Amino acid sequence: MAATSPLYNQLKDAEPFFLLAGPNVIESEEHILRMAKHIKHIATKVGLPLVFKSSFDKANRTSSKSFRGPGMAEGLKILEKVKVAYDLPIVTDVHESIQCEEVGKVADIIQIPAFLCRQTDLLVAAAQTGKIINIKKGQFCAPSVSLFLLTCFELIQKTFCFDDCVYDELFKVMNNSAEKIRLAGNPNVMVCERGTMFGYNDLIVDPRNFEWMREANCPVVADITHALQQPAGKKLEGGGVASGGLCELIPCIARTAVAVGVDGIFMEVHDDPLSAPVDGPTQWPLRHLEELLEELIAIARVTKGKQQFQIDLTPFRD
């Protein structure tokens, strides 16, 4: 297996957390460069390691008429300019195995979209680039089997004297996607919580997932903007639907995530969310980014969320 990358180690050791941030999709070269400049200034000011995010293609759209971005070739050229101009690492997503090699020439982190988190060929192709892989947990997926089942497995192992390889197979149930990256020879993997489907047009973030996803033995990231998406929940004039969202609750999810002790925050940021061509209702306003980050840092510094609480269940005696 290859060694962990310097950037991966830097992010894993970041205190109180690292930041993946930028506009949802590349709208123009000018806009992306301007956003990168402002977001880097703010991240540097508050002292957070930053990886700049934007997508060259939003393939998973509600409507075939939705804006998707400039495409891979042009989009990667623009992200390369951001990388050089502002000395920033880049995170962007892929949708097909064939994209991974080219994207890996520019991106420092390759992101696997939530709907594709179980696509083995895509995960392996991404892993083979050697870049950091950020896997978003599918809206349809549980983070793992429950801690209760983990305890049961441990008891079964002791009772029936299963060897380690049998126990390992049971454990893989809880972190299959991350394990696919490692089995492909790449230890640089992160997992990202972005909500679970609740009915047809809503997502719910279960804070317990931030704890359970640690079983994957890698950094845990909270997507605090997509987690407030309402898929196909916004009716359009003249018919049709688009994704809606609850931007006003982004601070709520963010506060919860850092209190629990996540390693990283993923958020989409825009200077004019109401005019954004993609996911405007779930992009955080640039003008409020510094204010929110300062609060989150303050919460993260006082919480002990990254440390498992040692609970003593023995009888209490006076």
Side-chain angles (χ1 to χ4, degrees):
M1 181 175 288
T4 55
S5 73
L7 177 61
Y8 184 76
N9 289 329
Q10 177 192 356
L11 298 179
K12 188 170 63 172
D13 297 337
E15 290 294 342
F17 55 84
F18 59 85
L19 178 65
L20 313 180
N24 186 296
V25 66
I26 298 172
E27 299 172 26
S28 70
E29 180 178 319
E30 183 276 332
H31 182 251
I32 285 297
L33 287 167
R34 178 159 44 86
M35 290 295 296
K37 175 183 177 181
H38 285 295
I39 294 173
K40 178 176 181 178
H41 173 76
I42 292 169
T44 301
K45 184 176 179 180
V46 300
L48 292 179
L50 170 66
V51 181
F52 184 77
K53 184 270 170 185
S54 198
S55 299
F56 54 79
D57 180 20
K58 303 301 291 186
N60 176 33
R61 297 292 87 200
T62 303
S63 168
S64 60
K65 298 178 182 179
S66 297
F67 180 77
R68 289 182 53 167
M72 186 173 73
E74 182 62 24
L76 290 178
K77 289 179 183 177
I78 293 172
L79 292 175
E80 178 72 26
K81 289 181 179 180
V82 170
K83 191 171 186 173
V84 172
Y86 296 108
D87 190 27
L88 282 173
I90 298 294
V91 54
T92 195
D93 35 18
V94 294
H95 297 89
E96 300 177 83
S97 302
I98 197 171
Q99 295 176 333
C100 294
E101 184 177 357
E102 284 303 308
V103 172
K105 294 176 182 178
V106 175
D108 302 273
I109 301 178
I110 295 177
Q111 186 160 274
I112 307 297
F115 279 116
L116 301 176
C117 69
R118 295 181 61 186
Q119 295 296 101
T120 301
D121 290 346
L122 179 61
L123 290 166
V124 171
Q128 289 173 342
T129 65
K131 297 306 175 84
I132 301 169
I133 311 302
N134 184 35
I135 309 172
K136 287 197 174 184
K137 181 179 73 64
Q139 304 92 323
F140 47 85
C141 292
S144 67
V145 299
S146 69
L147 295 180
F148 171 75
L149 286 179
L150 176 59
T151 303
C152 289
F153 288 152
E154 291 174 337
L155 291 173
I156 290 170
Q157 183 192 30
K158 291 176 183 177
T159 303
F160 294 100
C161 301
F162 286 168
D163 60 25
D164 287 341
C165 67
V166 174
Y167 180 71
D168 285 346
E169 289 304 311
L170 294 172
F171 185 78
K172 285 176 186 175
V173 174
M174 295 176 284
N175 55 28
N176 282 339
S177 292
E179 198 65 11
K180 287 175 184 178
I181 303 298
R182 297 189 185 104
L183 290 174
N186 186 344
N188 304 291
V189 60
M190 309 188 297
V191 290
C192 181
E193 166 64 23
R194 56 96 77 223
T196 303
M197 290 300 297
F198 189 78
Y200 291 107
N201 303 116
D202 206 2
L203 298 171
I204 294 295
V205 174
D206 183 346
R208 297 175 299 176
N209 289 353
F210 297 129
E211 291 280 355
W212 291 335
M213 286 172 70
R214 289 177 183 150
E215 294 166 2
N217 193 31
C218 63
V220 174
V221 181
D223 181 339
I224 63 171
T225 49
H226 281 109
L228 275 305
Q229 192 179 62
Q230 294 182 309
K234 180 181 177 182
K235 293 184 179 180
L236 301 176
E237 291 184 14
V241 294
S243 292
L246 302 169
C247 177
E248 68 275 11
L249 292 179
I250 289 172
C252 171
I253 300 301
R255 292 163 181 151
T256 302
V258 296
V260 174
V262 295
D263 301 286
I265 291 291
F266 175 101
M267 62 188 305
E268 293 183 330
V269 181
H270 202 282
D271 56 342
D272 186 9
L274 293 178
S275 299
V278 175
D279 286 352
T282 51
Q283 297 204 62
W284 186 247
L286 177 64
R287 63 162 41 90
H288 295 304
L289 179 60
E290 182 176 343
E291 177 185 5
L292 179 59
L293 291 178
E294 285 178 341
E295 180 184 349
L296 298 182
I297 290 168
I299 294 171
R301 284 178 175 160
V302 298
T303 184
K304 295 182 179 180
K306 290 185 181 181
Q307 305 171 24
Q308 188 172 11
F309 205 103
Q310 300 301 312
I311 302 175
D312 185 352
L313 295 176
T314 59
F316 176 79
R317 308 295 185 194
D318 290 332

